[in-house]
Amino acid sequence: MSKGASLNFREHDLTSYLKSGSTHYTGLHGVTLRNIEAVNNLSTITKTSLGPNGMNKIVVNHLEKLFISKDTATVMKELEVIHPAAKLVVLASQAQEQEAGDGTNFVVCFAGELLAQSEKLIRMGLPLTDIIHGYKKASEKAMELLQKLVVTEVTDIRNESEVTSAVKSCIASKVYGYEEFLAPLITEACISVCPKNPTAFSVDNVRSAKIPGGNVFDSKVLKGFAFVRDAEGKEKHMKNAKIAVFNCNVDQASTETKNSVVIRSSEELLNYNLSEEKAMEKEIQALADAGVNVIVSQGGFGEMALHYIDQHNMLAIKCPSKFQLLRLSKAVGASSLVKLQAPTPEELGSAASVDIEEIGDRKVVVFRQHSDVDVSGISTIIIRGATNNLMDEIERAIDDGVNAYKSLAKDARLLAGAGAVEVELYNQLSKFADETPGLEQYAIRKYAESFLVVPRLLAESAGFDASVAIANLTAAHQEGKTTFGIDLHDISGLDAKEENILDVYNTKYWGIKLATDATVSVLSVDQIIMARPSGGPKMKAPEGHWDDRE
């Protein structure tokens, strides 16, 4: 082989084998510590929002829409995180939102603290494999201990007082000060739509409608369905409603092809219009003969159709949203029809009354169910408030409360809140670490210390010295007071069980599991390979007027 044809076997960087623009990171300092730093920065954003005294965040998304919230699920959704390791934690928080509907901030904060503690172990020289094995072992032990720390459970999922006390803490962490009013409201809405088999409860059956004006304490529950809309015709109220729901326009049918009609005289013109009127009258008459007195359409109502609807004293309502139309059909027990025709008795829906009410300055259609109906398809919470941001935050709190009810329907166990469970887990896991041989005990001890992030943040948000507050709690727990937690008004603490500050077991279980899984996934990464983003380079914005440039 000639010298010019020889192959070059010199060692190259991995990026030389990839497309230009690709990036490659490897090594402990290049990957692991950078990933830990990224997740810590992400958790720093949400840490101050934990607990009743948590601070709000202002987030402006790519569409320049403003969000003011301390709900971590909302913040994480709108931040659009692109760092691969930080995105793993975001995905874990989204999984928590899907599984339990609450506890997303706990997942992000706990995962951030676990990685911060693992950084100390790495700098001490502990191998990553021992850290990962120690974290997995500590997680399994924490799951066992969590079952023993259950303080009470909801015996009857349809008992208002039991459910109200169980969901109150969940609501207080979002809108502190409104929990005494909102908890019974959410409980009433959930119980009214709870099926015979509580595990089949669906959060979609509790809807909310926001109407500006008044204050939060003007909010109320409607047993049925409501949405902001005025009636199309003259009728505004209907008792013992028989409802027909249409996906199509309530108007004259038009042909799919274009045709021309030749009219030779004025008499032919009058007869042509008369035939259209008779056809429309016949269709509306058929609806009236079927017993229909309320017509709901996703499309519009023609003027001629409204004329005959008013003649028959029928109520006409337009519902442009396809999703709201489906929920309405479920609430009143109607079948949605795709063609303007008389419905069969099975396709008709019913309601005790359909009324157009004025709440604030908005017209609202309210479909109320009969009082003797135990379970209606849907219940609606009317949210009132001075600003849209306040109503949005109340809506998120209601969503968390409804999800807490769903979790209770599946697993009714409750844990002591106010950081009491976390401090007890810290004590028990610290003892477990002392009993564990090998290097894994260091990882287990750091895992236990990570639980103290919750009482520490609660104490800091209340304005207390966190070290003193945690020292008081650990001392109380060593004395056997396993339900002792942070008091927002007194640094000495309180008994969370006596004060009815309770956490849903299902929320805490999934929070610990998902945060640990995300942490182990981040620590297991030793290389990051990123392809060049798709699309060409962004053009620079021209400066000044085009005519002024040379």
Side-chain angles (χ1 to χ4, degrees):
M1 183 181 289
S2 65
K3 186 177 180 181
S6 63
L7 295 174
N8 186 4
F9 287 104
R10 286 182 301 173
E11 187 177 349
H12 289 282
D13 184 64
L14 180 63
T15 53
S16 62
Y17 303 106
L18 304 174
K19 282 187 176 181
S20 61
S22 301
T23 53
H24 172 238
Y25 304 98
T26 186
L28 186 67
H29 292 278
V31 175
T32 308
L33 295 180
R34 280 188 179 184
N35 288 346
I36 291 172
E37 182 186 3
V39 177
N40 279 334
N41 290 336
L42 181 69
S43 65
T44 303
I45 297 172
T46 62
K47 275 181 179 178
T48 53
S49 298
L50 188 72
N53 287 345
M55 305 299 289
N56 287 333
K57 312 295 179 189
I58 293 181
V59 181
V60 181
N61 67 3
H62 64 288
L63 299 174
E64 297 186 0
K65 185 177 180 182
L66 178 70
F67 294 87
I68 302 177
S69 176
K70 62 178 180 178
D71 180 46
T72 305
T74 304
V75 174
M76 289 292 107
K77 182 181 176 183
E78 301 302 331
L79 279 182
E80 295 184 2
V81 177
I82 60 170
H83 190 281
K87 201 162 188 177
L88 284 174
V89 178
V90 173
L91 292 172
S93 70
Q94 291 174 354
Q96 174 74 4
E97 179 72 11
Q98 292 170 1
E99 289 289 346
D102 191 21
T104 50
N105 203 350
F106 172 77
V107 171
V108 177
C109 293
F110 188 48
E113 190 68 15
L114 284 173
L115 287 168
Q117 297 291 350
S118 68
E119 183 180 2
K120 297 176 184 177
L121 295 172
I122 291 169
R123 296 191 184 280
M124 284 169 54
L126 203 68
L128 275 172
T129 52
D130 288 325
I131 297 173
I132 292 170
H133 290 155
Y135 274 10
K136 286 181 177 178
K137 191 176 287 186
S139 173
E140 291 171 4
K141 185 64 177 177
M143 296 303 180
E144 292 177 17
L145 294 170
L146 203 63
Q147 296 181 15
K148 300 175 184 177
L149 296 178
V150 173
V151 293
T152 184
E153 63 178 83
V154 177
T155 56
D156 184 7
I157 199 67
R158 292 181 176 82
N159 187 305
E160 288 196 14
S161 60
E162 283 189 56
V163 175
T164 300
S165 61
V167 303
K168 195 179 293 182
S169 300
C170 169
I171 300 162
S173 65
K174 296 292 185 295
V175 282
Y176 186 49
Y178 293 114
E179 68 276 4
E180 296 290 343
F181 172 74
L182 290 176
L185 212 66
I186 295 168
T187 302
E188 181 188 347
C190 291
I191 291 175
S192 67
V193 297
C194 184
K196 293 180 180 179
N197 180 15
T199 56
F201 175 83
S202 173
V203 294
D204 291 332
N205 291 343
V206 179
R207 310 304 307 171
S208 57
K210 295 176 288 187
I211 300 175
N215 58 48
V216 176
F217 298 103
D218 294 329
S219 303
K220 57 185 178 180
V221 176
L222 295 176
K223 192 177 179 182
F225 190 79
F227 60 94
V228 179
R229 195 77 192 181
D230 195 4
E232 300 296 317
K234 66 177 184 179
E235 291 293 329
K236 304 293 182 183
H237 305 278
M238 188 64 63
K239 300 290 183 183
N240 297 319
K242 297 296 181 184
I243 305 162
V245 180
F246 295 100
N247 275 331
C248 58
N249 294 334
V250 180
D251 200 358
Q252 297 171 0
S254 57
T255 58
E256 294 181 1
T257 57
K258 292 183 179 180
N259 294 313
S260 299
V261 178
V262 179
I263 297 174
R264 297 181 176 83
S265 65
S266 59
E267 186 179 350
E268 288 182 358
L269 177 61
L270 290 173
N271 290 334
Y272 180 78
N273 289 336
L274 190 62
S275 63
E276 283 192 339
E277 290 175 11
K278 285 182 177 178
M280 192 74 252
E281 183 182 11
K282 186 178 179 181
E283 289 177 344
I284 300 301
Q285 183 65 50
L287 293 176
D289 293 340
V292 175
N293 52 20
V294 177
I295 302 174
V296 181
S297 170
Q298 186 181 350
F301 287 84
E303 291 184 4
M304 194 179 298
L306 277 177
H307 169 71
Y308 290 112
I309 286 170
D310 287 342
Q311 272 192 357
H312 288 86
N313 297 320
M314 299 163 76
L315 178 58
I317 299 167
K318 182 180 177 181
C319 181
S321 170
K322 178 176 70 174
F323 302 103
Q324 280 192 344
L325 197 74
L326 291 173
R327 295 180 191 123
L328 171 62
S329 300
K330 186 175 182 180
V332 300
S335 296
S336 185
L337 304 175
V338 296
K339 184 180 178 182
L340 185 59
Q341 60 186 15
T344 62
E346 292 79 15
E347 294 169 338
L348 271 177
S350 63
S353 65
V354 181
D355 302 295
I356 308 298
E357 298 181 1
E358 190 168 349
I359 302 177
D361 61 343
R362 303 288 182 93
K363 297 292 180 66
V364 181
V365 185
V366 182
F367 293 80
R368 286 190 173 86
Q369 293 287 15
H370 294 276
S371 58
D372 58 346
V373 177
D374 294 330
V375 178
S376 63
I378 287 178
S379 62
T380 306
I381 300 177
I382 302 293
I383 302 172
R384 305 299 311 282
T387 64
N388 286 329
N389 289 323
L390 174 61
M391 289 190 295
D392 288 341
E393 197 68 358
I394 295 294
E395 186 179 30
R396 294 184 194 108
I398 289 172
D399 183 59
D400 286 347
V402 174
N403 276 288
Y405 184 87
K406 180 184 176 182
S407 295
L408 288 170
K410 293 180 178 178
D411 191 337
R413 290 177 288 180
L414 296 167
L415 303 164
V421 167
E422 286 79 7
V423 174
E424 186 60 25
L425 285 172
Y426 160 71
N427 282 342
Q428 298 285 348
L429 286 174
S430 297
K431 294 176 184 176
F432 177 64
D434 296 336
E435 299 167 359
T436 304
L439 294 175
E440 292 176 359
Q441 63 176 296
Y442 297 101
I444 295 172
R445 189 170 288 107
K446 290 298 182 183
Y447 189 96
E449 290 177 13
S450 299
F451 278 109
L452 295 180
V453 68
V454 174
R456 184 172 73 244
L457 291 173
L458 291 175
E460 288 174 355
S461 66
F464 299 140
D465 186 339
S467 58
V468 175
I470 291 174
N472 291 339
L473 289 190
T474 50
H477 279 253
Q478 286 171 358
E479 294 173 3
K481 301 176 181 177
T482 58
T483 58
F484 218 68
I486 295 288
D487 187 351
L488 297 178
H489 308 291
D490 188 358
I491 198 171
S492 59
L494 52 74
D495 192 316
K497 184 181 179 182
E498 290 181 1
E499 297 293 329
N500 262 339
I501 303 173
L502 304 169
D503 286 343
V504 180
Y505 174 87
N506 200 40
T507 303
K508 195 68 66 179
Y509 172 86
W510 282 107
I512 296 172
K513 181 176 175 59
L514 291 169
T516 306
D517 289 347
T519 302
V520 169
S521 297
V522 172
L523 292 176
S524 301
V525 175
D526 69 340
Q527 292 190 46
I528 298 177
I529 306 162
M530 298 174 65
R532 185 181 65 182
S534 61
K538 294 182 179 179
M539 295 180 63
K540 291 184 179 180
E543 298 177 0
H545 193 267
W546 62 271
D547 200 29
D548 298 333
R549 296 195 300 272
E550 294 181 358

